[in-house]
Amino acid sequence: MNRHQHPSRPRPVTHEADLTDPEELRSRRVKLFFLLAVVVILVFGAVLYFTAPWLGGAIRAWQSRRLARHAFVLIEKKQWSEAEAKARDAYLLRSNEPEAWRAIARLLSRVGQGTAALEWWKKLEHEHRLTIEDRRDFAGAALAAGELTAAATQVSALLEQHTGPVPVDTVLAGQLAVRQSDAVLAVDYAERALADKRAKPYDRLSAATLILSVTTLNSQPYIRAWKQIEDLARDPKNAASLEGLVFLAREQARAPLPSSGGNNSLSLDSGSRPQVTPATQPGDTLSLNFGAAPQPASGGRTMSAIEVADALENHPEARPYHKLLALELRVQHDPALADEYVAQAVKRFGNGDDETLAALAVWLNNLGRPAKMLEVLPPERALQRQDLFLQHLSALAALQRWSEIKDLLTSERFPIEPVLQHMYLATAQTHLGALTAATNEWQRALEAANTAEKLLALASYAEQNDVSDVADTAYNEAIKVAPKNRAGYTGQLRVALASGHTARAQTVAAEIVHVWPDDTAARNQDAYLRLLLGASDGQAETAEREAQILVAKEPWNWLARATLGLARLRLGRTKDALAAFRGVRATGAEPPGALAVRAAILAVNGYEEGARGDARNLGAKLLLPEERALIAPLLP
């Protein structure tokens, strides 16, 4: 072989595919690509189809939680309207989102709508989502709504924290003790909170006002508590300073102001002044005497009304309401200058914004100056907002200008809901003597009240105006709409008692026990009413056992003692009945019915003179027919 020749190379194998036209190859590749793309799209579509609801729900849940967090911030800033909008939007985005429930519950609790808040707190409790802060708001709402069993459950959980209760929880326990008629325990809890170095200014204020509500003026606990409030109020840098001043001002201004006479107010509002603590409810007042102090009969008060007024005027956070409250104190201190102070108030606040004008209108109406209020708030301005319009109506009512009220409410130019329109028209028609028209308006109000809140407002207003049949109907309808709303039941019970319908009251009391079987106060009231109506021996024995337990637990509870004494009286054990009232002294704050039972028991045990004295004192009191029958033999 020639050395320049290359070795032979193997020839490449020729395949049939190599003979395929390049264009056809590209076409095949494109078809394959599209086939794969279709498969991918189908797979992705299937995944998206099955996961889209979950993904959409997750996005809505995130958005709902984000809005709820915004609501929490606004609640802490007390920007209620904005917080309500955020909480509502959070709920609308995802109605089963616990954070949205929490936002609604917290908002309702903080603005004082405890009954409405309970529904949402119970939903969170059912899902085991309650935080420590939630339990505090839950307990406060339950106390405000009168659901003591629910409040006790939350307070117990707060007190049993492994780190121990903080002062705010101790104050809540004290407030619960007041509602359970245990004033001694309430003071003990409140003083523990005051002695705790971790107590914040508002904790101290709440604890001090709690002590004042259950102790006598010159007792040492009262004097110490009053000093706590004055110390808080004197320091404008203190977070609770302004609230402390408001409390002191309200205490200074307790004496009645001049009024036009009669109960002619059309307003549902019982007053625009803020409450520091919901420690007591009407009828819950207790009184303890821990020993008189050597100080004068002043409860340890060192700040005069003028000092409080000056502090309110000059407080860096004072709003028009606070400055008007200061002027109210000055009027109270020097009534001869009332006209001058009214002129000052009108000049300073008469041209203010709606909030300022509303505060001035309330102040003038409360001061008994409805004519001046109408000058400040003419109809054209009043028609712009509901709160202004209601104050305008209140002033007209105080001046007995019922025809003008009727004309305004039938002009179709009023900024209030139909239920309010018909309620107020009913009152106006009554004063104008058109009783049939008034009845029709009450009926229209009932038809327009389509929520539990509106029905309760209507019932309360009818009750205030002594239209008991409308009040009872409205409360009954509220119960149908919200069967777990305690306010409807307690309203019905109150109406029945005020009307002297004992059998009706007992029926309502039994319904309350059925819905809230663990409520000892409700069980006691049911037993007491059954005894008045003539319970059997078996029922009397059961009532005695339960009342005896309650008296041992709550020795200051006169209603429980009345049940115990009446049960023994029905069983013919007169000496034992007398023992039910041993060891307690009447202070004047006791329920009249309990005193009537005691008078009857004193009489059958031979203490005629004391029994007759009690009966004479009860002569003008509101008693049920059966209670009055107990003391009838003792009256001349």
Side-chain angles (χ1 to χ4, degrees):
M1 180 186 300
N2 192 315
R3 61 190 178 110
H4 296 291
Q5 288 182 331
H6 294 286
S8 62
R9 297 176 179 173
R11 293 183 179 180
V13 179
T14 302
H15 296 285
E16 185 178 354
D18 294 336
L19 302 177
T20 306
D21 185 74
E23 290 297 327
E24 186 177 347
L25 283 173
R26 280 195 296 272
S27 176
R28 290 179 181 178
R29 288 169 184 160
V30 169
K31 290 178 181 178
L32 180 61
F33 174 79
F34 277 113
L35 179 62
L36 291 173
V38 169
V39 171
V40 169
I41 290 172
L42 289 174
V43 171
F44 180 76
V47 171
L48 189 63
Y49 175 81
F50 288 107
T51 62
W54 174 86
L55 185 61
I59 292 172
R60 287 194 298 274
W62 174 80
Q63 291 175 325
S64 177
R65 289 192 293 271
R66 181 172 61 87
L67 288 168
R69 287 193 293 270
H70 290 170
F72 297 145
V73 173
L74 293 168
I75 289 170
E76 294 305 317
K77 294 179 178 179
K78 299 183 180 180
Q79 297 177 5
W80 309 123
S81 298
E82 296 88 341
E84 180 185 7
K86 293 292 184 183
R88 182 182 62 247
D89 290 346
Y91 179 73
L92 291 175
L93 263 173
R94 195 165 186 259
S95 61
N96 61 345
E97 173 54 53
E99 285 297 289
W101 301 347
R102 178 174 287 112
I104 295 171
R106 187 169 298 174
L107 174 65
L108 292 171
S109 297
R110 300 291 175 88
V111 299
Q113 297 184 32
T115 301
L118 286 181
E119 172 192 350
W120 301 96
W121 288 129
K122 289 175 180 178
K123 285 165 70 78
L124 280 167
E125 183 180 37
H126 182 72
E127 296 293 326
H128 305 288
R129 296 295 190 102
L130 289 177
T131 65
I132 293 298
E133 187 176 3
D134 291 343
R135 291 189 184 279
R136 289 174 185 139
D137 283 331
F138 192 169
L143 285 171
E147 291 206 18
L148 302 189
T149 302
T153 300
Q154 301 309 318
V155 168
S156 294
L158 292 169
L159 295 179
E160 292 168 3
Q161 297 178 65
H162 69 279
T163 56
V166 295
V168 65
D169 302 330
T170 310
V171 172
L172 277 170
Q175 293 173 351
L176 175 62
V178 169
R179 300 301 303 280
Q180 292 173 331
S181 304
D182 194 337
V184 175
L185 183 59
V187 171
D188 179 58
Y189 276 127
E191 290 193 327
R192 279 192 236 171
L194 289 173
D196 195 323
K197 294 181 179 179
R198 298 171 297 171
K200 297 178 181 178
Y202 278 106
D203 300 335
R204 295 185 179 280
L205 181 61
S206 295
T209 55
L210 177 59
I211 292 173
L212 297 182
S213 71
V214 295
T215 56
T216 54
L217 182 66
N218 286 321
S219 66
Q220 286 291 353
Y222 189 103
I223 291 170
R224 289 194 297 268
W226 190 273
K227 183 180 184 303
Q228 287 273 354
I229 296 174
E230 286 192 344
D231 290 345
L232 290 170
R234 281 194 169 100
D235 180 11
K237 295 180 181 179
N238 191 295
S241 172
L242 190 56
E243 290 293 339
L245 286 170
V246 169
F247 176 84
L248 295 176
R250 294 183 64 203
E251 290 298 301
Q252 294 278 7
R254 277 181 179 268
L257 290 166
S259 68
S260 58
N263 181 19
N264 297 317
S265 175
L266 285 173
S267 176
L268 285 174
D269 191 7
S270 60
S272 62
R273 296 167 175 166
Q275 297 291 333
V276 176
T277 175
T280 58
Q281 297 289 325
D284 287 338
T285 305
L286 306 173
S287 181
L288 296 182
N289 192 337
F290 286 85
Q295 286 86 347
S298 62
R301 305 181 183 201
T302 62
M303 288 185 75
S304 68
I306 297 303
E307 286 180 278
V308 175
D310 289 340
L312 275 170
E313 281 274 3
N314 299 317
H315 198 283
E317 296 180 10
R319 300 180 67 84
Y321 160 74
H322 302 103
K323 297 180 184 297
L324 287 165
L325 183 55
L327 283 175
E328 183 176 329
L329 287 178
R330 300 187 193 283
V331 171
Q332 197 84 26
H333 182 260
D334 196 346
L337 298 177
D339 289 341
E340 180 181 333
Y341 291 129
V342 168
Q344 287 182 24
V346 171
K347 183 177 180 180
R348 291 173 64 184
F349 305 112
N351 294 319
D353 58 16
D354 286 340
E355 179 188 352
T356 301
L357 194 57
L360 177 60
V362 171
W363 185 77
L364 289 169
N365 274 336
N366 289 344
L367 204 64
R369 300 301 179 97
K372 178 62 69 174
M373 205 289 300
L374 292 176
E375 292 178 19
V376 172
L377 189 61
E380 56 271 17
R381 182 71 185 272
L383 287 166
Q384 295 177 14
R385 278 177 43 144
Q386 175 169 297
D387 55 349
L388 298 178
F389 186 68
L390 293 179
Q391 289 302 320
H392 187 87
L393 291 181
S394 290
L396 291 175
L399 295 169
Q400 301 288 304
R401 290 159 63 170
W402 302 106
S403 294
E404 292 181 49
I405 293 174
K406 176 185 172 183
D407 292 341
L408 277 172
L409 292 173
T410 54
S411 67
E412 302 300 331
R413 292 181 59 245
F414 46 84
I416 58 175
E417 294 191 21
V419 62
L420 299 180
Q421 174 208 9
H422 295 303
M423 284 162 44
Y424 299 153
L425 266 176
T427 303
Q429 296 284 24
T430 299
H431 283 277
L432 292 170
L435 299 184
T436 301
T439 300
N440 292 337
E441 292 298 340
W442 284 119
Q443 184 59 40
R444 293 187 184 104
L446 283 167
E447 293 169 358
N450 52 9
T451 66
E453 290 74 19
K454 291 178 183 178
L455 284 163
L456 290 172
L458 169 59
S460 176
Y461 183 75
E463 188 179 350
Q464 292 169 20
N465 285 273
D466 298 321
V467 191
S468 56
D469 57 334
V470 173
D472 186 66
T473 301
Y475 281 129
N476 190 54
E477 291 300 315
I479 291 170
K480 292 179 181 177
V481 174
K484 294 291 186 178
N485 190 329
R486 183 70 174 263
Y489 294 93
T490 54
Q492 269 195 327
L493 181 59
R494 192 170 54 245
V495 169
L497 292 172
S499 303
H501 298 153
T502 311
R504 168 65 174 155
Q506 189 276 314
T507 300
V508 177
E511 291 174 359
I512 294 174
V513 171
H514 177 73
V515 181
W516 292 278
D518 297 328
D519 191 325
T520 55
R523 294 177 66 86
N524 181 71
Q525 185 152 38
D526 179 37
Y528 175 75
L529 293 171
R530 288 179 187 273
L531 290 167
L532 283 179
L533 292 167
S536 66
D537 286 354
Q539 290 175 324
E541 289 170 355
T542 301
E544 181 192 13
R545 285 194 300 272
E546 293 192 359
Q548 196 163 7
I549 295 171
L550 187 55
V551 168
K553 182 180 178 182
E554 303 174 7
W556 298 94
N557 190 333
W558 274 75
L559 288 174
R561 288 182 178 273
T563 304
L564 180 59
L566 188 56
R568 291 172 174 174
L569 192 65
R570 292 285 188 248
L571 292 168
R573 292 158 44 203
T574 56
K575 296 294 183 185
D576 290 340
L578 184 62
F581 291 97
R582 187 169 293 135
V584 291
R585 294 176 56 191
T587 64
E590 295 75 24
L595 293 178
V597 171
R598 189 181 72 162
I601 292 172
L602 286 172
V604 298
N605 279 280
Y607 297 96
E608 284 278 339
E609 185 176 351
R612 290 187 184 278
D614 281 353
R616 284 194 299 272
N617 293 335
L618 289 168
K621 300 287 187 179
L622 180 63
L623 294 170
L624 292 169
E626 292 79 5
E627 291 170 337
R628 194 163 293 281
L630 289 173
I631 61 171
L634 303 172
L635 295 173

